[in-house]
Amino acid sequence: MNVRQKPERTRLSAEDWEDAALSLIAEQGVGALAVEALARQLGVTKGSFYWHFRTREALLQAALERWEQYGEREIISQIEAIPDPRERLPELFRRVAHELQPHRVYAALLKALDHPLVVPVMARVSKRRTEFLHTAYSEAGMEANEALNRARLTYAAYVGFLQLNFTLGLPRLNHEEFDAYVEHMIATLIPA
Amino acid sequence: MNVRQKPERTRLSAEDWEDAALSLIAEQGVGALAVEALARQLGVTKGSFYWHFRTREALLQAALERWEQYGEREIISQIEAIPDPRERLPELFRRVAHELQPHRVYAALLKALDHPLVVPVMARVSKRRTEFLHTAYSEAGMEANEALNRARLTYAAYVGFLQLNFTLGLPRLNHEEFDAYVEHMIATLIPA
DNA sequence: TTGATTCCATACGCATGAGTATGGAATGCT
DNA sequence: AGCATTCCATACTCATGCGTATGGAATCAA
């Protein structure tokens, strides 16, 4: 038995609550975000929560902002660092495909598009990513208008894949099948 | 003023509740499926509901089964009636793209993939549709393995588009832009 | 060390929504 | 017409989960 299974920090900060909220969202969805449940998970009671946050919605708001902030910064900069523009998209596809954790929150938020707080966040994030794809396709030599539609198509394929395989667990591809699928995507969506 | 604004059927059947449930799901999502709300919308009270159904879950179950039954029968048979296999996919794309109402329920159910009752239904429906795409690509002359991945990609693009444009209302394409997008999809996803 | 501030526990109130109990109205059957 | 069955209204109970009130413990500042 480990001495400190959890950090065992006797006092909590607002950020601790936000992180806990995000991981709970990733695992059980936005709907499962309840303050008493979170408190139990953190080993405290509601009394703590309502000192740090005015309401449940306030926590969700803060957690979403936090997620939007520290979201995709690294990957984008890594891809932009690749000198040859024509190599960026395949590399992006492969990198994103082998991530896992970052998708969980996004997939969960996708299922919470009813909630008025998550809609604007998802709108901004999706817009940024699509625009990133747009310029990537353009820099790879694709005509402007086609590049935009291809970016939309690509991002839609990504989002749909999350829903079908991630959340729904539909075809439950094994490793080889998944890699073959990714290469197929690259072959059909990225110009030679 | 019309004499009978609503069918004004004084007694309701279980099917009436199921249809009302489906339209409510389409408009406000599975989470909004509450019996008292439905009852108000139907002009009755809970007393009626609990005569027709044992529980709220039972209604959802029945509504889902109903939706799965009378779902996509027509479109599939229409497409299969097209003699030239190579014309089926483009026609399918255009037809589906100009539907609207059938997508609403599917999009709503996509956001309820947490719920244990909707998961198996969505799994079956998505599986059937993907298999339909698979054979369509095969019959259009595509090699078996590639046809499967292309079917997955196509269906993922469909699902993702629903989320992004339908639910999220992201780029909010106008009519011309949308048609251009559909033609772009056809050009990139369907072999010449 | 002592006061102030920060953080948390306990015990509430209160709204919502599912499910139950029971009686009454509407409809079909004979 | 009269009875049984079907359908619905009314009036509850009960669980859940948000938010509040208030006091106490921990930590910091002096």
Side-chain angles (χ1 to χ4, degrees):
Chain A
M1 309 303 181
N2 215 323
V3 176
R4 39 208 305 256
Q5 313 185 354
K6 296 223 171 172
E8 205 66 43
R9 166 188 292 129
T10 40
R11 318 280 287 243
L12 296 176
S13 70
E15 285 76 20
D16 294 325
W17 285 95
E18 297 168 10
D19 288 338
L22 283 177
S23 72
L24 196 155
I25 288 174
E27 292 168 7
Q28 312 198 34
V30 176
L33 185 61
V35 341
E36 308 202 48
L38 254 191
R40 269 193 302 276
Q41 183 177 314
L42 286 174
V44 292
T45 66
K46 303 165 57 158
S48 170
F49 176 84
Y50 284 100
W51 192 90
H52 294 285
F53 298 92
R54 224 175 51 74
T55 171
R56 191 203 99 124
E57 298 278 279
L59 168 65
L60 178 56
Q61 176 98 38
L64 289 176
E65 284 179 7
R66 188 174 182 77
W67 175 76
E68 188 179 2
Q69 286 285 328
Y70 305 90
E72 62 261 34
R73 298 251 177 279
E74 340 74 58
I75 304 185
I76 287 186
S77 58
Q78 285 180 357
I79 295 299
E80 282 175 336
I82 298 176
D84 184 358
R86 305 182 61 84
E87 287 184 0
R88 286 174 193 162
L89 280 167
E91 187 59 23
L92 173 63
F93 279 37
R94 296 194 179 94
R95 262 205 175 58
V96 169
H98 290 293
E99 300 262 349
L100 186 67
Q101 196 58 28
H103 303 313
R104 293 196 187 281
V105 176
Y106 188 83
L109 263 37
L110 229 33
K111 294 185 292 187
L113 252 30
D114 326 61
H115 199 111
L117 282 182
V118 323
V119 170
V121 176
M122 292 297 276
R124 283 194 298 271
V125 170
S126 301
K127 182 164 176 289
R128 270 201 301 273
R129 295 181 179 181
T130 302
E131 285 171 350
F132 179 73
L133 283 172
H134 182 188
T135 68
Y137 274 117
S138 291
E139 292 171 353
M142 192 176 286
E143 181 265 331
N145 215 3
E146 188 179 10
L148 178 57
N149 280 327
R150 187 63 63 87
R152 288 169 178 159
L153 176 57
T154 300
Y155 197 68
Y158 161 71
V159 168
F161 185 84
L162 280 191
Q163 295 286 323
L164 292 175
N165 296 258
F166 220 76
T167 307
L168 190 52
L170 224 211
R172 192 87 302 183
L173 306 178
N174 63 38
H175 194 71
E176 297 173 10
E177 288 172 328
F178 178 72
D179 283 346
Y181 176 74
V182 172
E183 293 305 319
H184 178 83
M185 273 193 61
I186 293 176
T188 67
L189 292 180
I190 302 178
Chain B
M1 308 302 181
N2 215 322
V3 176
R4 40 208 304 255
Q5 313 183 356
K6 295 222 171 174
E8 205 65 42
R9 166 187 291 132
T10 40
R11 319 281 287 248
L12 297 176
S13 70
E15 286 75 21
D16 293 325
W17 284 94
E18 296 169 10
D19 287 338
L22 282 177
S23 72
L24 196 155
I25 287 174
E27 292 168 7
Q28 312 199 36
V30 176
L33 185 61
V35 340
E36 307 203 47
L38 255 190
R40 269 194 303 276
Q41 184 178 312
L42 287 174
V44 292
T45 65
K46 304 164 57 159
S48 171
F49 177 85
Y50 284 100
W51 192 90
H52 294 285
F53 298 92
R54 222 175 51 77
T55 171
R56 190 202 99 123
E57 297 278 278
L59 169 64
L60 178 56
Q61 175 97 39
L64 290 177
E65 285 179 7
R66 188 174 182 78
W67 174 76
E68 188 178 0
Q69 286 285 329
Y70 305 89
E72 62 261 35
R73 299 251 177 281
E74 340 74 58
I75 304 184
I76 287 187
S77 58
Q78 286 180 356
I79 294 300
E80 282 176 336
I82 299 176
D84 184 359
R86 304 181 62 84
E87 286 185 1
R88 288 174 192 163
L89 281 167
E91 187 59 24
L92 174 63
F93 279 36
R94 295 193 180 96
R95 261 205 173 59
V96 169
H98 291 293
E99 299 263 350
L100 186 66
Q101 196 58 27
H103 301 314
R104 294 196 185 280
V105 176
Y106 188 83
L109 261 36
L110 228 33
K111 295 185 292 187
L113 251 31
D114 324 61
H115 200 110
L117 281 183
V118 323
V119 170
V121 175
M122 292 296 275
R124 283 193 297 270
V125 170
S126 301
K127 184 164 176 288
R128 269 201 301 272
R129 295 180 178 181
T130 302
E131 285 171 350
F132 179 73
L133 284 172
H134 183 189
T135 69
Y137 274 117
S138 292
E139 292 171 352
M142 192 176 286
E143 180 266 330
N145 216 2
E146 188 179 11
L148 178 56
N149 279 326
R150 187 64 61 89
R152 288 169 178 158
L153 175 58
T154 300
Y155 197 68
Y158 161 71
V159 168
F161 185 84
L162 279 191
Q163 297 285 320
L164 293 175
N165 296 258
F166 220 76
T167 308
L168 189 52
L170 225 210
R172 192 86 305 181
L173 307 178
N174 63 37
H175 193 71
E176 297 173 9
E177 289 173 328
F178 179 72
D179 284 345
Y181 176 75
V182 173
E183 293 306 319
H184 178 84
M185 272 193 60
I186 292 177
T188 59
L189 292 179
I190 301 179

